[in-house]
Amino acid sequence: MTKKELLRGLPKIDEVLKQESLVVLSEEKGDLMVTEAVRAVIAGLRASILDLSDKKAEEFDASALEIEAVAEAAEAKVLRDEELNLYPLINATGTILHTNLGRAPLCRDAVENVARVSKGYSDLEYNVPKGKRGSRHDLVGDLIAELTGAEDAMVVNNNAAATMIVLATIGAGKEIVVSRGELVEIGGAFRIPDIMRQSGAYLQEVGTSNKTKASDYESAIITKQQAEEAKLNMDPRGGMRFETGALMKVHKSNYDIVGFTEEASLEELVEIGRKYDLPVIFDMGNGLMLDMSAYGLNEPNIPASLATGIDVMLFSGDKLLGGPQAGIIVGKKKYIKAMKKHPLARAMRVDKMTFAALEATLMKYRDPKVALRDIPVLNMISASGEEMRAKAERLADAIKRVNPALSLELVPVEDQIGGGSAPMVRLPGWAVSVKDGMKSADRTERKLRKAEVPVVARINEDRLLLCVRTIAEDELETVAEALRK
Ligand SMILES: *Cc1c(COP(=O)(O)O)cnc(C)c1O
């Protein structure tokens, strides 16, 4: 056909929309989207016809212009345009709290509770027995108190928000004493000194990068009277001083200082705090609730840290606690109460979905055995070498069934906690190493990422590794499927 004939052969939008498949689709997705898709398909065809040489026009397959073909293409476009940008994938890196991959996966009960609570109305801010307004802050306060020994608790958006509201409430216009060895950057431009400035508190650094003694904190304390006097006798080189508002310890979550080092313990800070009537704040970060030293994790845990007498402690919900993104503040009632009244509390409050996931996750901690079994993060940390070797064998078998041409090998690996937690901990794990003929590891890695359910693997010395610690049992077949020829 000539180009003119082809152009004349293009169907009209209205004709295509009468196709049964598109009538049904319009009812489901709305007619605007379907009409737009038909218009786009026809416009695309017109543009490609206009681009043809006369010779190519003769060879053009005119069946693409038929009404049914255009309707089919439009339907495919509608479905393609509907694909969501946030979707699940499989983590085969062996890094448990992978920040890029959404940190902690939720336990099943947390997921079910989110659906149960958020599909309709809930008692988020309503006291049902009393028939009057309630507070969302009361939803998990008692449970957290029971589990941690804290007097009270408050939940905000994440630990960065928690740091901000703690400092703004306790430290605005005052000095907060922090060790130079703990002026942490967590990543993504979250630096303790910057947050401190934003909160209106003044950072008073003490000690050196590698050594800070308890006495360094004590000698940095300034009383209100001293601060006034300092203002009167301002030394032009000295600068302004303010009264001390709190002593703060920041857990070295994502780095370690080794060698000639010293740091003040929580107990020592609590003692100084008592002596000067100053609160002690501990940004503990990782949210570890149980003693996991039996699994190689020698990190402070929440109840043990609180038992030292800390006044305010804060941590993330989606690191080692294994729950939703949240910042949890626990401690003495008088401070938590002031934070709940702070104007920032409204800006940082969390949604019912977060409370639903958090409460169901926390409930597991009533029995540590249940927490270790049901909370994915803890379950992955505590998985034994034999369990993981057996899982790697099951994965290799599944891959062999799908693609017998691949060379597979079971190899021991070192997995990590990740998410800026316990950077020095290496968990002995197992992986399936995959070699696809002469193809490079990079090429196989790309193939895995392009699968229907993408699989993110680890590459080590040009070896493609599927680390089984972070692959759920019911994902093994899907990983194998991604390697189909
Ligand atoms: C992770 C971490 C933060 C930041 O927590 P987010 O929940 O990511 O906002 C702050 N402080 C410490 C010590 C941390 O480990």
Side-chain angles (χ1 to χ4, degrees):
M1 274 191 258
T2 66
K3 276 165 82 161
K4 227 184 213 155
E5 283 167 330
L6 286 172
L7 287 173
R8 234 181 288 132
L10 281 168
K12 299 248 163 1
I13 294 177
D14 288 345
E15 285 170 353
V16 181
L17 285 171
K18 283 193 196 120
Q19 285 291 301
E20 180 62 21
S21 62
L22 292 193
V23 173
V24 174
L25 193 66
S26 297
E27 259 163 41
E28 196 194 329
K29 311 282 184 195
D31 52 1
L32 276 181
M33 223 176 143
V34 177
T35 310
E36 193 39 55
V38 173
R39 192 194 313 279
V41 170
I42 295 176
L45 286 167
R46 175 173 293 117
S48 34
I49 293 170
L50 287 172
D51 256 3
L52 297 171
S53 62
D54 289 339
K55 182 160 169 291
K56 282 266 158 58
E58 287 299 329
E59 296 161 8
F60 189 84
D61 180 9
S63 68
L65 308 181
E66 281 165 16
I67 293 179
E68 294 79 12
V70 172
E72 213 172 281
E75 184 169 0
K77 177 168 166 51
V78 168
L79 298 180
R80 218 170 35 241
D81 288 351
E82 272 216 321
E83 270 170 27
L84 301 176
N85 285 326
L86 183 59
Y87 49 80
L89 51 73
I90 293 174
N91 174 7
T93 66
T95 299
I96 298 172
L97 296 170
H98 203 303
T99 303
N100 303 146
L101 307 183
R103 276 201 193 156
L106 294 177
C107 66
R108 182 135 39 89
D109 287 313
V111 174
E112 283 168 9
N113 205 30
V114 170
R116 182 178 77 102
V117 165
S118 55
K119 71 173 182 244
Y121 298 101
S122 64
D123 66 336
L124 181 66
E125 289 195 344
Y126 186 67
N127 185 326
V128 176
K130 291 191 179 149
K132 59 179 196 189
R133 193 175 198 288
S135 165
R136 69 180 70 206
H137 292 310
D138 297 337
L139 292 170
V140 292
D142 288 347
L143 182 54
I144 295 177
E146 173 197 321
L147 297 171
T148 64
E151 287 178 12
D152 201 358
M154 178 182 181
V155 182
V156 293
N157 250 312
N158 52 25
N159 199 23
T163 312
M164 182 79 183
I165 197 167
V166 167
L167 291 173
T169 307
I170 294 177
K174 297 181 180 175
E175 292 182 2
I176 305 286
V177 187
V178 188
S179 159
R180 287 200 171 87
E182 297 174 2
L183 295 175
V184 179
E185 169 167 330
I186 304 298
F190 176 90
R191 290 176 162 186
I192 291 290
D194 296 338
I195 291 281
M196 196 137 331
R197 210 169 300 121
Q198 291 292 330
S199 73
Y202 300 99
L203 172 64
Q204 184 59 40
E205 304 173 23
V206 294
T208 60
S209 305
N210 57 329
K211 274 200 176 214
T212 305
K213 301 180 181 68
S215 57
D216 293 329
Y217 289 83
E218 185 163 5
S219 39
I221 292 173
I222 287 212
T223 63
K224 193 167 186 162
Q225 196 190 346
Q226 285 168 331
E228 289 303 325
E229 282 164 13
K231 257 175 232 154
L232 295 178
N233 317 312
M234 261 255 295
D235 174 346
R237 290 161 307 170
M240 200 97 112
R241 290 296 302 266
F242 301 87
E243 78 176 286
T244 305
L247 310 179
M248 182 168 178
K249 192 162 176 62
V250 184
H251 182 50
K252 296 191 290 293
S253 299
N254 53 4
Y255 66 107
D256 206 3
I257 300 178
V258 295
F260 187 56
T261 65
E262 184 172 344
E263 63 178 285
S265 67
L266 288 175
E267 287 86 350
E268 287 173 310
L269 293 191
V270 168
E271 203 183 309
I272 300 171
R274 295 268 155 80
K275 188 164 154 195
Y276 293 87
D277 195 22
L278 287 172
V280 178
I281 303 166
F282 181 35
D283 176 9
M284 120 15 128
N286 68 38
L288 179 64
M289 189 79 95
L290 307 175
D291 179 354
M292 298 278 282
S293 51
Y295 305 102
L297 201 58
N298 291 306
E299 290 279 308
N301 66 61
I302 301 165
S305 303
L306 265 179
T308 63
I310 292 281
D311 297 275
V312 174
M313 173 159 151
L314 42 148
F315 49 89
S316 296
D318 56 348
K319 290 185 181 169
L320 293 172
L321 192 74
Q325 180 191 303
I328 301 168
I329 309 166
V330 295
K332 303 264 160 71
K333 206 166 207 101
K334 95 171 169 184
Y335 299 111
I336 306 282
K337 210 167 139 191
M339 285 170 216
K340 288 177 181 171
K341 289 208 186 109
H342 194 281
L344 276 175
R346 174 66 184 242
M348 294 173 172
R349 73 181 190 182
V350 301
D351 177 53
K352 55 182 175 281
M353 290 193 276
T354 302
F355 277 117
L358 185 60
E359 188 178 16
T361 305
L362 289 169
M363 215 44 106
K364 301 284 180 192
Y365 283 100
R366 284 196 154 149
D367 184 336
K369 284 192 297 297
V370 174
L372 283 172
R373 184 193 64 198
D374 291 352
I375 296 179
V377 169
L378 301 186
N379 189 269
M380 286 187 253
I381 292 173
S382 58
S384 74
E386 300 95 84
E387 274 173 70
M388 267 175 305
R389 202 194 146 106
K391 202 202 262 185
E393 271 165 22
R394 286 195 294 282
L395 176 59
D397 288 343
I399 297 171
K400 246 177 259 160
R401 278 196 296 277
V402 169
N403 190 345
L406 298 173
S407 353
L408 308 175
E409 197 188 332
L410 298 196
V411 292
V413 288
E414 288 189 328
D415 297 325
Q416 291 184 47
I417 304 274
S421 302
M424 309 304 277
V425 173
R426 291 287 176 276
L427 304 164
W430 282 91
V432 177
S433 157
V434 182
K435 185 106 189 85
D436 188 357
M438 296 306 286
K439 290 193 191 122
S440 70
D442 284 330
R443 201 154 146 208
T444 310
E445 188 268 347
R446 257 196 315 274
K447 174 184 165 77
L448 284 165
R449 267 192 291 117
K450 284 189 181 151
E452 193 176 329
V453 180
V455 177
V456 182
R458 194 199 296 179
I459 292 184
N460 194 6
E461 294 170 2
D462 199 36
R463 240 172 125 132
L464 184 109
L465 299 173
L466 297 167
C467 306
V468 296
R469 185 187 297 274
T470 48
I471 306 176
E473 195 61 41
D474 62 5
E475 291 172 339
L476 295 177
E477 293 291 335
T478 318
V479 175
E481 202 49 50
L483 285 164
R484 190 178 279 282
K485 193 152 177 66

